[in-house]
Amino acid sequence: MTEPAHELLAKVGLFSRLGEPERRCVGALCRERFYHRNQPLFYEGDPGGMLHIIISGRVKAIMLDEQGHELILSVMAPGEVLGEVTLIDGGPRSATVIAVEDTVTLTLSRAELLELIHQNPSLADNLLAILCARLRRVTRLLWEVLFLDVEARLCNVLLEIARREGCRVGEEIHFSLGMSRQELASMIGASREATTRALRVLQDRRLIRLEDKVMVVTPLLEELCASLQG
């Protein structure tokens, strides 16, 4: 970790309303943890008690069915937090979280976070906003699986990733996908074969392009996703 903890926390939404003195206090409590690619941070059903703040890398929150098939609930990047639900209700972990690439997190214990919320009520507002965003994401995922076909679900996921991790080049968005076809399939609740076919369809319709290892989202895909939401 090259930057001081309090400077890294300034980029995290949960702590965005704290002044520098308060962030320094939080940073002094944080402990740094490193996870290799594909290493679990925790498993569904594990005891809670620790908040993770992603500093570098990416992680995925997943659930598995009885046959071991994976559904990716979300992919989280630097600046996001995870494990907040169990810190509030004291229950077990509601999903398994695995590092998609080498990842560094800062951690806070449940007791430390609750004390910080007591001292800084704005943290409670930010935490509620994070929980509401997660609930909306899961609700939207359920709606899409029930009512949209594979191609439409894939469009929405690609645009979400592009807007979060890509950069605009003219009217297009360029980004590195950074995940396998199977992981992409798990994000939309489809098979790898169906996802591969859908990718070909999107390319044929010129909604996306693949240039070496870069995926390009065109304005046509953004227009299509807007019509799906409307």
Side-chain angles (χ1 to χ4, degrees):
M1 187 169 65
T2 57
E3 291 184 72
H6 73 276
E7 293 183 8
L8 293 169
L9 292 173
K11 306 171 186 176
V12 178
L14 178 59
F15 304 101
S16 61
R17 299 187 188 182
L18 297 184
E20 183 175 333
E22 290 79 13
R23 288 200 307 272
R24 286 182 180 276
C25 292
V26 177
L29 297 173
C30 289
R31 291 161 294 281
E32 183 178 353
R33 292 175 180 260
F34 177 82
Y35 298 90
H36 292 286
R37 182 175 182 269
N38 294 328
Q39 181 180 352
L41 281 67
F42 50 78
Y43 292 96
E44 180 182 356
D46 281 353
M50 186 181 297
L51 180 79
H52 286 265
I53 305 157
I54 304 173
I55 299 304
S56 65
R58 292 185 303 155
V59 303
K60 59 181 179 180
I62 67 169
M63 299 188 78
L64 300 173
D65 64 17
E66 294 180 354
Q67 286 74 44
H69 299 137
E70 179 183 286
L71 174 65
I72 298 180
L73 302 174
S74 63
V75 176
M76 289 164 281
E80 297 187 78
V81 300
L82 56 139
E84 70 285 347
V85 173
T86 61
L87 291 180
I88 293 175
D89 65 8
R93 299 294 191 187
S94 57
T96 296
V97 173
I98 299 173
V100 176
E101 56 194 57
D102 289 352
T103 297
V104 176
T105 72
L106 297 177
T107 62
L108 284 169
S109 72
R110 181 171 188 262
E112 289 167 339
L113 182 63
L114 292 178
E115 179 60 27
L116 287 170
I117 291 173
H118 178 72
Q119 296 173 0
N120 303 275
S122 66
L123 287 177
D125 295 336
N126 289 357
L127 192 57
L128 283 173
I130 291 170
L131 290 170
C132 289
R134 296 273 165 83
L135 178 60
R136 289 178 185 275
R137 170 113 185 32
V138 173
T139 301
R140 182 166 63 85
L141 176 62
L142 177 60
W143 183 87
E144 290 181 357
V145 170
L146 289 174
F147 298 111
L148 297 183
D149 61 23
V150 172
E151 291 168 20
R153 301 203 301 270
L154 182 57
C155 285
N156 282 331
V157 164
L158 290 176
L159 183 58
E160 178 183 337
I161 297 171
R163 285 175 170 170
R164 184 180 66 232
E165 302 181 15
C167 62
R168 285 206 172 265
V169 179
E171 295 184 336
E172 300 175 335
I173 308 176
H174 293 212
F175 70 101
S176 175
L177 186 56
M179 63 177 64
S180 68
R181 294 291 185 268
Q182 183 57 59
E183 288 174 321
L184 191 58
S186 297
M187 288 191 72
I188 61 175
S191 68
R192 184 182 185 280
E193 293 76 14
T195 302
T196 300
R197 287 195 298 270
L199 280 169
R200 285 198 294 266
V201 170
L202 298 190
Q203 291 180 76
D204 291 343
R205 294 175 61 186
R206 300 188 178 183
L207 299 174
I208 62 171
R209 296 196 314 275
L210 288 175
E211 300 178 353
D212 294 327
K213 296 183 180 180
V214 175
M215 182 165 287
V216 179
V217 167
T218 72
L220 292 175
L221 185 136
E222 292 193 84
E223 293 170 9
L224 176 60
C225 288
S227 70
L228 292 172
Q229 300 300 324

